[in-house]
Amino acid sequence: MNEHTPQRTARRIRMVRYATTATAAAGLALTAFAPTAASAAPRPDVVQQRLDALVKEDGMPAALATVKGRDGRSRTYTAGVGDLATGAKVPVDGQIRAGSNTKAFTSVVVLQLVAEGKVGLDTDIDTYLPGLLRGDGIDGRNITVRQLLQHTSGLPDYMDAPALTDFTTIQYRYFEPRELLDGALAQKALFPAGTDWLYSNTNYLVAGLLIQKVTGRPFGEEVTKRVIDRIGLRHTYVPATGETALREPHPHGYLTTGPGVPLIDYTAMDSSMAWSAGAVVSTNTDLNTFYSALLTGRLLPAAQLAQMRTTVPAELLGPGVRYGLGIQSRPLTCGGLVWGHGGTSPGHRTRGGVTEDGRAVNITVTTIPDAPTAKRLTDAVDTALCR
């Protein structure tokens, strides 16, 4: 949900971002390597070592991953504990809040509507949602659908609004999309549309409203029909209004509010604060399946997939990172690119993606890491794909 750049992190969510996580999990035993039915006999490997380090050395309560290797087989991994209160094990391939991976799902639906001739990628958003975007330097008549999906619209982030700066007070609060949008429109535009790049959750909030206006159906229903059911993601869903608990076995997610402060169990939450920008619940394996299906053309016609993969520099997300339409590419140390998105919710951080030759990985930790740990999480993805 909150895929913010390092330069803007402290300003955005000071109580959450990059707090030291010296948690009670540090002294807890790690769970063993847990293979899927398709994997080889259990044995320690470099991916397991990376996950163990994220728990033991970096203080993550838990880490879990699914890796599809060069041999085409998937292996699942766990480390740490799934519940700090009880010491329960991490469920193998447990459900997690996928955060901003949701943006890739949202973008797919918009691009399907483009393919159907119902939306124009370079048409201004005011054509579909007249008068919706007006503010200080903000005018929907000058912002295209493409600019929304690529974060070049200049729209300020609704997550910067005062109502959303303290997650401890809104864990179970319901937000209407319009209320979230009003929080963005009360701010000044970041830059004139099309002149720069900067990540903003507001872009995908508007994309969700676009989907609903064009289809006449709820956002979650369209994502379910057009993406989730289409490729058989059995453990992925958009939470229903008022739904706060995760539906299947899952590790608990924890919110950090400062060094030495006890973690807050943020597993149950009202995800309306994230909506079309970050509400999807999934598993590491389902995310691998989703990105693999996307890159191999199972969700979009070739023309729209090519548009999705047309990128602009997004170095604020990391060296060499480029952003397309709801998907980003990151260079690998072994050559080539990994395509995916990643996501953050108050209790989970995910990183991963797929390569052109079919390798895939998704790794999740169960609290928001500080900056050095976040880099080690990204490095673990590279290790998993390049081993």
Side-chain angles (χ1 to χ4, degrees):
M1 176 173 64
N2 307 313
E3 299 303 292
H4 300 307
T5 62
Q7 288 83 346
R8 302 172 66 200
T9 296
R11 178 171 63 86
R12 287 171 176 263
I13 305 172
R14 295 184 297 274
M15 295 187 70
V16 179
R17 280 290 184 266
Y18 307 138
T20 301
T21 55
T23 73
L28 293 171
L30 307 178
T31 58
F33 168 68
T36 64
S39 62
R43 63 182 179 82
D45 67 12
V46 67
V47 177
Q48 185 67 55
Q49 291 169 0
R50 289 299 185 107
L51 265 60
D52 289 348
L54 285 167
V55 172
K56 186 175 181 180
E57 299 173 18
D58 294 312
M60 298 293 97
L64 57 164
T66 300
V67 179
K68 182 181 178 182
R70 299 176 189 273
D71 58 4
R73 294 187 294 179
S74 288
R75 297 167 174 81
T76 58
Y77 302 80
T78 65
V81 291
D83 184 342
L84 293 177
T86 66
K89 293 182 178 181
V90 181
V92 174
D93 202 30
Q95 280 189 329
I96 49 91
R97 298 193 186 274
S100 283
N101 287 290
T102 303
K103 292 179 174 66
F105 287 73
T106 301
S107 183
V108 166
V109 175
V110 173
L111 289 168
Q112 288 176 351
L113 295 172
V114 171
E116 293 164 13
K118 298 175 182 176
V119 171
L121 198 51
D122 294 306
T123 301
D124 65 80
I125 191 63
D126 214 64
T127 299
Y128 310 102
L129 298 166
L132 180 69
L133 300 183
R134 297 290 190 274
D136 189 352
I138 301 169
D139 190 334
R141 292 168 293 190
N142 301 322
I143 297 172
T144 67
V145 174
R146 183 191 301 274
Q147 289 166 346
L148 291 173
L149 298 182
Q150 199 150 45
H151 295 300
T152 56
S153 71
L155 288 175
D157 200 326
Y158 73 82
M159 292 301 300
D160 284 344
L164 289 159
T165 55
D166 182 359
F167 282 166
T168 65
T169 65
I170 58 173
Q171 186 169 0
Y172 298 104
R173 179 177 167 183
Y174 174 74
F175 289 90
E176 285 281 355
R178 179 72 222 202
E179 182 181 2
L180 298 173
L181 182 60
D182 286 345
L185 297 178
Q187 306 171 50
K188 184 177 180 179
L190 300 173
F191 49 80
T195 65
D196 204 347
W197 182 92
L198 201 59
Y199 194 98
S200 172
N201 287 288
T202 307
N203 291 310
Y204 278 79
L205 179 70
V206 177
L209 294 171
L210 170 65
I211 289 169
Q212 293 194 153
K213 181 63 177 292
V214 172
T215 65
R217 306 300 304 172
F219 165 76
E221 184 178 308
E222 289 298 304
V223 170
T224 301
K225 177 181 69 175
R226 291 171 171 271
V227 182
I228 295 172
D229 289 349
R230 182 169 174 176
I231 57 174
L233 302 179
R234 295 186 297 116
H235 308 289
T236 301
Y237 64 95
V238 179
T241 300
E243 183 176 14
T244 59
L246 297 178
R247 298 176 183 177
E248 298 179 10
H250 56 271
H252 285 231
Y254 297 92
L255 176 68
T256 56
T257 58
V261 180
L263 295 176
I264 297 171
D265 192 321
Y266 221 90
T267 311
M269 62 173 284
D270 190 316
S271 58
S272 61
M273 72 170 80
W275 197 49
S276 53
V280 163
V281 172
S282 191
T283 64
N284 288 321
T285 296
D286 268 10
L287 288 173
N288 282 351
T289 300
F290 166 67
Y291 286 114
S292 296
L294 177 57
L295 250 65
T296 54
R298 293 175 56 198
L299 286 168
L300 290 173
Q304 281 67 50
L305 182 57
Q307 293 286 350
M308 191 181 209
R309 289 169 45 129
T310 300
T311 59
V312 297
E315 294 274 339
L316 292 175
L317 296 179
V321 175
R322 298 181 64 89
Y323 202 96
L325 306 182
I327 195 170
Q328 60 183 262
S329 66
R330 184 181 297 269
L332 293 169
T333 57
C334 53
L337 301 171
V338 55
W339 290 88
H341 197 287
T344 303
S345 77
H348 296 100
R349 167 71 62 85
T350 68
R351 288 293 181 264
V354 300
T355 63
E356 300 285 356
D357 63 0
R359 287 168 287 154
V361 62
N362 205 76
I363 301 176
T364 301
V365 292
T366 57
T367 191
I368 300 174
D370 60 16
T373 304
K375 183 180 185 304
R376 285 189 281 274
L377 174 59
T378 300
D379 290 345
V381 171
D382 184 272
T383 297
L385 291 170
C386 290
R387 58 180 179 158

